[in-house]
Amino acid sequence: MSLTTDDFAAFTEDDPEDDKEVPLGDALSELAVDIDVDSVEAVRDIREQT
């Protein structure tokens, strides 16, 4: 299977609802979700399950 630029055409078109004044990084950060995970606790939970 191969991909061509035509496969991505729908994702590269301009969206009229986009605010062109907002920098891309700021726009992406609005979509991001912060997840606070205690990795040590997560590993302990997994070990207890097995």
Side-chain angles (χ1 to χ4, degrees):
M1 179 180 173
S2 65
L3 298 173
T4 65
T5 54
D6 293 335
D7 297 320
F8 298 98
F11 301 105
T12 59
E13 295 173 0
D14 284 341
D15 186 350
E17 294 179 15
D18 283 345
D19 185 1
K20 301 293 184 195
E21 300 297 316
V22 177
L24 178 60
D26 293 339
L28 291 173
S29 70
E30 291 176 11
L31 299 173
V33 177
D34 287 333
I35 299 175
D36 186 23
V37 176
D38 180 359
S39 58
V40 174
E41 185 66 29
V43 170
R44 285 180 183 149
D45 288 343
I46 291 172
R47 287 182 178 169
E48 288 175 1
Q49 292 176 7
T50 56

